Amino acid sequence: MAVSLDRARGFVYSNGVLWERTLFAYLFDGGPLEHVHRCLLAYKNPDGGFGHGLEHDLKCPDSNPLQIEYLLSILRDTGLPPGQVFDGTVAWLEHNREPDGSLKNPATLKKYPLAPWWAEWGGQSTPDSITGNLLKHSLCSPSLAASTQQWVLENLTLEKIRANEWLFMAYHAHDYFMNVTDFPNLTELRQATIENIITCAEAAPEKQYFVLFQFAPTPDAPIASHLPEALVKRNLDYLMEAQRDDGGWDDEHGLRHWQPYMSMVALCALKNWGRL
């Protein structure tokens, strides 16, 4: 069955929150970018950080690193321009980091609904993806770049990159090393990151096939030219056939609240790679 944009629209508008609906309109229906930005800014706090459950699994209204990480990943996955959304956000990050470069979470984090893994981990504290994606958009400060580099030198080693077995989790190395330009042994670290993504993608179950296109959302993405043609074709063929009768695509964990956004990730991949 051919992919139906109309059915996908119906699914997102029936199940997505407002920012997801406006994002769909911008990506596929010529909707205004300003409307998307206004919706995302509703999750921003006066301190420059983000909260309020923009990332669906952590509902704390107070600013926390996970919300910034997720918002930057939306830009990575969909090509959404940042505009002025991150004004003041780097200052928040600079004021909410530990001496080792990791990021602080608010004391109120567990007062509000959150997924069990975030309750166990105490929120997101790793700065790699955030800093890497800020560098991509020329939004990072020298101070944040320096403290994150120190953290990465200690925590995101070649051994750790090569040991990763979950495709999704490759975003830590990808988002940092594919965007930083000054780092010891950068060529080797980038190559290890690419090899790990390919290894994980080739071994991934079907429910994870869309994740490859979060790293290569377009054929012009930095890692796209390194991907085996057969791997890209296999994953695109699957996405072409995986749209459900209700218009949506499954997410990796079968969680309904993630499926409007992940359906847009699938649609972006199909559109950008010439299948839609």
Side-chain angles (χ1 to χ4, degrees), residues 221-255:
I223 74 163
S225 63
H226 301 275
L227 299 177
E229 183 177 343
L231 176 64
V232 174
K233 182 180 184 301
R234 182 201 72 177
N235 287 24
L236 289 172
D237 287 348
Y238 172 78
L239 293 182
M240 287 290 297
E241 301 297 327
Q243 186 179 28
R244 302 189 303 252
D245 289 342
D246 66 3
W249 279 258
D250 293 334
D251 71 294
E252 182 174 349
H253 301 291
L255 299 172

Side-chain angles (χ1 to χ4, degrees), residues 3 7 18 32 37 50 60 71 114-115 120 123-124 126-127 130-131 135 142 164 175 188 198 203 211-212 227 257 267:
V3 171
R7 286 191 291 126
L18 183 57
H37 285 163
F50 287 81
C60 178
L71 180 50
L114 73 171
E120 178 183 352
Q124 180 63 284
T126 58
I130 291 173
T131 296
L135 286 166
N164 175 55
D175 291 0
E188 186 178 14
I198 293 172
V211 178
L212 181 65
L227 299 177
H257 57 276
L267 284 169

Side-chain angles (χ1 to χ4, degrees), residues 162-238:
R162 290 168 175 161
N164 175 55
E165 297 180 344
W166 182 10
L167 180 58
F168 169 76
M169 290 301 288
Y171 82 90
H172 289 286
H174 173 273
D175 291 0
Y176 186 76
F177 292 119
M178 302 311 290
N179 291 309
V180 72
T181 58
D182 182 16
F183 196 91
N185 302 317
L186 181 58
T187 299
E188 186 178 14
L189 289 159
R190 283 181 172 174
Q191 185 60 34
T193 298
I194 293 166
E195 290 173 357
N196 179 253
I197 288 172
I198 293 172
T199 298
C200 290
E202 288 178 335
E206 288 183 339
K207 64 183 180 179
Q208 295 180 12
Y209 281 7
F210 72 89
V211 178
L212 181 65
F213 301 107
Q214 295 184 275
F215 303 122
T218 73
D220 297 325
I223 74 163
S225 63
H226 301 275
L227 299 177
E229 183 177 343
L231 176 64
V232 174
K233 182 180 184 301
R234 182 201 72 177
N235 287 24
L236 289 172
D237 287 348
Y238 172 78

Side-chain angles (χ1 to χ4, degrees), residues 31-86:
L33 176 61
E34 181 186 3
H35 196 186
V36 187
H37 285 163
R38 288 203 306 269
C39 290
L40 293 172
L41 285 169
Y43 295 87
K44 191 174 185 178
N45 288 317
D47 60 11
F50 287 81
H52 307 283
L54 173 64
E55 202 276 359
H56 298 298
D57 291 336
L58 204 162
K59 299 298 187 182
C60 178
D62 297 318
S63 296
N64 60 86
L66 180 64
Q67 311 305 320
I68 300 170
E69 181 184 84
Y70 179 52
L71 180 50
L72 285 163
S73 75
I74 293 168
L75 274 57
R76 178 199 66 199
D77 298 346
T78 68
L80 181 75
Q84 306 302 309
V85 168
F86 293 100

